[in-house]
Amino acid sequence: MSLLSLRGLTKSYDGVRAVDDVSLEVGPGEVRALIGPNGAGKTTLVGLVCGRIAADAGQVVLDGQDITALPAHRRTRLGMAYTFQITSIYARLPVSENVALAARPHMTAGQVPGAVAQVIDQVGLTRYCDALAGDLSYGHQRLVEIAMGLVSAPRLLILDEPTQGLSEVEIAAFKDLIRGMAGRCAILLIEHNMDVVMALAERVTVLSAGALLFEGTPEEVRADPGVQAAYLGAP
Ligand code: ATP
């Protein structure tokens, strides 16, 4: 059974369909990339998935449960976590405290320190544990956010352009991190960097003008003329 099912999701702004009747299925532990040109509706779609945006029509189903009407915080309790393009860390708090804040709603006080230490190690930031988050490089701050997402042991992690603004070295570290998580949680990855998509995604969903244009393996997507015209060939 799919972990995440989207059925006919639709959202319009002022009569313009930002997301137009999109259906897709993501399996447990799958890494799914979501790509498409600027304005294709990717951010709106993940906003609908995580409950930050209310759908006009359609359903969001997580592990068989219809969560379309649930607010975002209820969805996180059901095993959904996300990071967005804009960083959400507290710059004046230590890295460990940022991650602890994300952990507390999901576990007992006694479980927090161990869980925090484990995910900070997983993202490779142990030596920055006590540093103020605001003193870290941009790339390391993005890793702190991923740690904040992972600490709740989500079944679905949504990453909105996680490699934007990262150096090549940081992108390589990000790829290693995601590969190291293989199968442990499903990942919905909005990503403009096609090297990252090709390296990590099992399947790729292509949006164009709000609608689902194509879905397939990275190789199939790369070879599809329609995708090339709509996306890969776009400036
Ligand atoms: P990008 O890659 O540039 O982030 P995207 O694929 O994430 O783009 P969205 O940000 O979801 O695309 O936008 C889809 C469409 O919906 C665009 O035409 C955008 O202008 C419009 N849109 C998005 N949010 C709003 C809003 N709050 N009000 C009005 N229009 C919006």
Side-chain angles (χ1 to χ4, degrees):
M1 191 173 74
S2 297
L3 176 70
L4 177 71
S5 301
L6 307 184
R7 299 177 186 158
L9 272 186
T10 298
K11 177 70 186 180
S12 298
Y13 292 109
D14 302 325
V16 177
R17 288 203 166 193
V19 171
D20 187 5
D21 194 20
V22 170
S23 298
L24 65 88
E25 308 279 329
V26 179
E30 177 183 345
V31 179
R32 170 70 59 94
L34 188 59
I35 69 170
N38 289 338
K42 304 178 297 294
T43 298
T44 304
L45 184 66
V46 296
L48 296 170
V49 173
C50 60
R52 282 161 65 115
I53 300 172
D56 296 335
Q59 284 180 306
V60 181
V61 178
L62 185 70
D63 213 8
Q65 182 179 354
D66 185 342
I67 60 168
T68 317
L70 293 186
H73 72 275
R74 295 274 307 278
R75 298 186 195 199
T76 61
R77 273 194 227 139
L78 291 172
M80 208 182 262
Y82 32 82
T83 71
F84 287 103
Q85 282 162 289
I86 297 165
T87 60
S88 55
I89 59 173
Y90 294 97
R92 301 178 68 162
L93 292 179
V95 168
S96 57
E97 186 54 24
N98 270 278
V99 181
L101 283 172
R104 283 189 192 115
H106 299 277
M107 58 193 76
T108 65
Q111 291 170 324
V112 170
V116 168
Q118 193 258 320
V119 291
I120 288 178
D121 178 57
Q122 190 180 347
V123 302
L125 290 180
T126 298
R127 75 185 135 125
Y128 299 106
C129 198
D130 299 323
L132 296 183
D135 289 344
L136 265 54
S137 70
Y138 179 75
H140 284 152
Q141 290 185 19
R142 303 302 315 244
L143 291 174
V144 173
E145 291 185 305
I146 294 174
M148 291 166 73
L150 285 176
V151 77
S152 60
R155 291 184 286 172
L156 174 67
L157 177 64
I158 300 170
L159 302 173
D160 192 350
E161 303 202 19
T163 67
Q164 196 182 38
L166 300 196
S167 68
E168 287 302 315
V169 172
E170 289 166 341
I171 289 174
F174 170 78
K175 285 188 204 162
D176 287 345
L177 169 65
I178 300 300
R179 285 201 196 97
M181 286 164 51
R184 278 196 270 171
C185 76
I187 295 175
L188 189 56
L189 176 70
I190 299 184
E191 184 57 69
H192 279 292
N193 183 327
M194 289 307 291
D195 288 340
V196 173
V197 170
M198 295 296 161
L200 295 178
E202 287 154 61
R203 293 181 71 76
V204 183
T205 297
V206 187
L207 286 186
S208 179
L212 199 146
L213 177 71
F214 192 85
E215 195 170 284
T217 64
E219 293 71 27
E220 288 166 347
V221 164
R222 187 155 41 188
D224 184 76
V227 176
Q228 284 172 14
Y231 181 65
L232 299 175

